[in-house]
Amino acid sequence: MIRTYRALFVAQIQAAAQYRVQSILWMLFSVMRPVIFLAAWVAVANAQGGQIGAYDTRDFAGYYVALALVTNLVFSWNAYDFEFEIRMGRLSPKLLRPLHPIHYAVVENLVWKMTTMIPLLLILGVVIVTFDARFRTTPMHLLLFVPSVLLAAALSFLGGWFLATTAFWTTRVHAVSTLWDRAVFIFAGQIAPLALLPGILKTISLALPFGYMLGVPTEILRGGVDVPTALALIGGQAFWVVVFYIAFVRLWRVGVRQYSAVGA
Amino acid sequence: MMHSRAPDNAVIMPGMTDAVVDVRELRKTFSVTEREEGLAATLRSFVKRHRKDVNAVAGITFRIEPGEVVGFLGPNGAGKTTTLKMLSGLLHPSAGEASVLGYVPWRRENAYLGRMTLLMGNRTQLVWDIPAADSFRVLQEIYRIPEGQFRSTVNELTELLELQELVHKPVRNLSLGERMKVEFAAGLIHSPSVAFLDEPTIGLDISMQVRIRRFVAEYNRRSGATILLTSHYMDDVVALCKRVIVIHRGTLLYDGPLADLAERMAPYKVITATLHDGAASSTDLDAYGTVVSREEGRVTLRVDRQLAPERTARLVNDLGSRLADISVEDPPIEEVIDRVFTSEQTTVSA
């Protein structure tokens, strides 16, 4: 499998090199949203004496810089690709090879993150300086961030594939994926840090998988939670990864029986 | 060297034989939504949808022995591609059984997928943005092909398909014909024992069609692979297949030698007489058979198969020195197939 992944990596890096400008534009697009929210929250905080809850303007900057980095590492677009692959008949050749189609998507996803990481870090460096971002990160936080971001990426990826698999029945999953993305937008910590969400929204974000995708690794990276809380949140992430893994495997098994190979 | 591998952990189903492809009463029913045209019907369809079962494959049975090249013929919508998709493992059947190389295809075990290929003439399986040579390397790892075997297979496919100039260009820069050749190489790089070819020459020019045909024949000869081929180009079938299976509306109509198809399905011969004096248009030949066409100097007659020798002899005798040339042939295969599809004949097996 390692040799297969290596070959897929080489091919995918070559393919990504053809579209490097597009990759950078997508990365810029993904970083715009946190920066806009950062500017908005800084304005609101300044209007209220420089502090909202436990966050001052420098904490907001730290939070949204961490969120932009986490978003890049966690982001998954496979549900949209999967629908396209089914409709264009491109899934069929993959299903007929002795390698699960999910592996191609894993590699594609990782390569995208790798190729956009350096320009992203440069942009975030500018944001850190501009907004004087504060991080309360300790070495322990950095240590815990590694499993947390990996679990968040797995959760986002498996969630996307779970939704995508419904395309075996519906052929189109765009509307469902968009609804999912909107839920992530509201509950995952993009509009505001989870700690600042109104009571019911905060409860929902941590009772459902959304908060564990972005908000949890973001808070761990910026040192916004203590270690016991971080460990509990990582436990929540692991729980949801297991849930989505089982759900995806089962749905896939039924879905491929349903597959009608339209367009192929 | 290309080679077919011996079955490893294949599971032989009870009652099934050692044929490479063994299909029994295979069926596939699709449930499709239907609605009438117009705004009212569209609005009603939001609330209630009418579904209808379509029998794409309505219970077909056949078997294919090792090394055979079989033509799978039928009009559009006959169920050919659906059958190939079931045999390759893409689709689950609604009923019936099938075994390919001893495996149940739709279980899609890796051991099975590594020994078969489905090539569809209008579909791509290569990565669009990179040269095919790099896609071949990915396939090498996916199929776990040892380096020596990989190099030898690539060299052989490159030689047979004349790929030298093509494999280092991004696939998106290749013409349709060039891409199809490279697709063939990608589909056969793991030396499959069974190849399902669905319209492999569709959209290609005559020269490229001929090359692909030669390649398929040579591949079959060298590797001993079993091939099931669908094509609307009868030249493909004539060039490659000694045996054909004809299906129509999901039902098997004929299974037997291509050479016997005309005899069984078209009970007539075509006599073409060329006259010296160019008087074909005025010569009355109706007494010898049904005149199908008259061109300057040439008359084509349709004559009952049993009567053909006697009518030919009479023509030669009666026309004497006016006759420049005469030929007696089976009707063109396209015509025979068209007769099969337009008539509602029951199953015929040779």
Side-chain angles (χ1 to χ4, degrees):
Chain A
M1 189 55 93
I2 291 171
R3 287 169 61 96
T4 306
Y5 260 75
R6 193 176 63 189
L8 284 171
F9 257 107
V10 171
Q12 191 56 46
I13 286 170
Q14 286 179 316
Q18 313 270 328
Y19 298 105
R20 50 194 181 277
V21 174
Q22 181 182 289
S23 295
I24 300 297
L25 290 175
W26 271 107
M27 184 275 295
L28 285 174
F29 175 74
S30 74
V31 90
M32 274 172 66
R33 186 182 276 179
V35 172
I36 290 168
F37 274 98
L38 167 59
W41 278 110
V42 166
V44 173
N46 282 333
Q48 296 189 7
Q51 186 90 18
I52 300 175
Y55 293 77
D56 64 15
T57 55
R58 293 181 63 207
D59 290 321
F60 276 118
Y63 179 85
Y64 277 105
V65 166
L67 179 68
L69 183 63
V70 167
T71 302
N72 188 270
L73 292 171
V74 165
F75 175 60
S76 162
W77 62 93
N78 302 101
Y80 299 99
D81 274 4
F82 193 79
E83 171 187 320
F84 178 75
E85 291 206 328
I86 283 190
R87 285 170 53 201
M88 300 306 288
R90 292 189 185 170
L91 180 66
S92 297
K94 290 181 179 173
L95 284 173
L96 293 182
R97 290 181 198 146
L99 182 72
H100 196 291
I102 201 167
H103 295 295
Y104 303 92
V106 169
V107 172
E108 199 177 321
N109 209 300
L110 289 176
V111 167
W112 188 83
K113 294 177 195 321
M114 282 166 50
T115 53
T116 54
M117 186 49 69
I118 290 174
L120 174 71
L121 289 175
L122 291 173
I123 292 170
L124 293 183
V126 173
V127 176
I128 288 170
V129 172
T130 307
F131 288 88
D132 192 19
R134 179 196 292 127
F135 295 92
R136 303 171 190 275
T137 319
T138 65
M140 192 61 185
H141 282 113
L142 283 179
L143 199 65
L144 290 174
F145 175 67
V146 175
S148 179
V149 78
L150 288 174
L151 286 167
L155 179 53
S156 169
F157 191 75
L158 287 169
W161 268 81
F162 177 77
L163 292 182
T165 304
T166 61
F168 281 129
W169 287 268
T170 62
T171 305
R172 290 197 169 211
V173 292
H174 196 94
V176 181
S177 302
T178 304
L179 184 66
W180 174 267
D181 286 346
R182 295 298 175 270
V184 170
F185 176 58
I186 296 168
F187 297 114
Q190 290 187 311
I191 286 183
L194 297 182
L196 296 185
L197 287 176
I200 183 69
L201 291 185
K202 187 177 174 183
T203 306
I204 291 173
S205 72
L206 290 176
L208 295 178
F210 305 111
Y212 300 97
M213 289 180 187
L214 296 176
V216 166
T218 298
E219 285 294 6
I220 292 175
L221 178 60
R222 81 168 191 96
V225 287
D226 57 27
V227 170
T229 307
L231 286 171
L233 292 171
I234 289 171
Q237 288 182 299
F239 168 77
W240 279 111
V241 167
V242 171
V243 167
F244 271 96
Y245 177 76
I246 292 170
F248 163 67
V249 168
R250 292 194 173 179
L251 195 67
W252 180 270
R253 203 175 291 150
V254 183
V256 289
R257 293 181 65 89
Q258 183 71 28
Y259 184 48
S260 56
V262 290
Chain B
M1 194 69 195
M2 285 184 276
H3 60 280
S4 296
R5 282 163 281 171
D8 34 32
N9 60 340
V11 178
I12 304 294
M13 294 174 65
M16 291 207 151
T17 67
D18 57 356
V20 171
V21 178
D22 195 347
V23 175
R24 296 186 184 183
E25 282 300 313
L26 198 63
R27 292 172 187 273
K28 182 65 185 179
T29 304
F30 290 106
S31 178
V32 297
T33 52
E34 275 192 335
R35 69 167 175 81
E36 294 169 3
E37 75 252 25
L39 180 62
T42 305
L43 292 174
R44 276 199 302 275
S45 74
F46 275 102
V47 183
K48 187 177 181 184
R49 295 195 173 192
H50 292 283
R51 299 193 78 84
K52 181 184 169 188
D53 284 345
V54 175
N55 292 319
V57 177
I60 57 172
T61 299
F62 63 86
R63 44 182 284 166
I64 301 175
E65 303 301 328
E68 275 194 285
V69 182
V70 177
F72 199 38
L73 308 180
N76 290 331
K80 306 183 298 291
T81 301
T82 301
T83 303
L84 291 195
K85 284 176 179 173
M86 286 192 281
L87 294 182
S88 61
L90 263 187
L91 292 182
H92 281 247
S94 305
E97 293 178 350
S99 148
V100 182
L101 296 164
Y103 297 93
V104 177
W106 42 91
R107 286 186 191 156
R108 275 216 292 275
E109 294 167 70
N110 284 349
Y112 173 60
L113 299 179
R115 296 185 57 204
M116 73 93 207
T117 196
L118 169 67
L119 272 167
M120 307 181 94
N122 52 355
R123 293 286 170 235
T124 182
Q125 59 169 320
L126 294 162
V127 182
W128 197 247
D129 298 309
I130 63 173
D134 294 308
S135 283
F136 292 169
R137 281 288 172 191
V138 174
L139 293 173
Q140 178 194 2
E141 298 304 336
I142 290 175
Y143 288 104
R144 297 167 195 236
I145 307 168
E147 181 64 22
Q149 186 190 329
F150 173 75
R151 282 182 184 277
S152 138
T153 307
V154 168
N155 288 342
E156 195 162 11
L157 290 169
T158 302
E159 175 211 322
L160 281 172
L161 287 162
E162 299 169 23
L163 301 178
Q164 293 85 348
E165 304 294 316
L166 307 181
V167 291
H168 300 294
K169 293 181 188 171
V171 171
R172 64 163 187 259
N173 292 344
L174 300 177
S175 71
L176 177 64
E178 290 172 337
R179 186 165 61 75
M180 200 54 226
K181 290 204 295 182
V182 176
E183 291 282 351
F184 256 92
L188 299 173
I189 207 152
H190 56 295
S191 307
S193 306
V194 176
F196 300 110
L197 309 181
D198 190 21
E199 302 283 356
T201 57
I202 195 164
L204 303 184
D205 63 35
I206 298 289
S207 157
M208 196 59 76
Q209 287 179 28
V210 170
R211 285 186 196 187
I212 293 287
R213 270 176 221 134
R214 276 195 205 131
F215 167 73
V216 173
E218 183 62 16
Y219 181 79
N220 168 253
R221 191 186 68 73
R222 290 194 191 191
S223 69
T226 306
I227 295 172
L228 183 56
L229 162 95
T230 80
S231 181
H232 284 116
Y233 298 128
M234 286 307 138
D235 289 345
D236 288 351
V237 178
V238 171
L240 295 168
C241 311
K242 290 194 175 81
R243 174 185 164 199
V244 293
I245 295 171
V246 181
I247 65 167
H248 188 26
R249 293 180 183 144
T251 308
L252 195 145
L253 289 186
Y254 175 84
D255 181 357
L258 177 64
D260 292 355
L261 184 64
E263 194 176 324
R264 286 169 179 269
M265 294 301 193
Y268 58 86
K269 289 263 186 183
V270 174
I271 300 177
T272 305
T274 307
L275 304 183
H276 267 311
D277 52 11
S281 58
S282 59
T283 306
D284 183 8
L285 298 176
D286 289 336
Y288 301 92
T290 307
V291 176
V292 180
S293 70
R294 284 175 191 272
E295 292 165 27
E296 201 170 330
R298 178 182 290 184
V299 185
T300 304
L301 299 164
R302 185 180 287 175
V303 179
D304 187 282
R305 193 171 280 276
Q306 272 75 41
L307 300 175
E310 180 260 326
R311 294 289 167 84
T312 309
R314 267 178 58 198
L315 267 170
V316 171
N317 193 44
D318 295 351
L319 293 173
S321 60
R322 292 172 63 201
L323 190 65
D325 191 17
I326 190 164
S327 67
V328 184
E329 295 169 311
D330 278 323
I333 191 70
E334 288 88 346
E335 200 174 307
V336 176
I337 295 291
D338 184 55
R339 276 182 64 89
V340 175
F341 296 157
T342 50
S343 64
E344 294 293 331
Q345 304 196 41
T346 52
T347 305
V348 180
S349 279

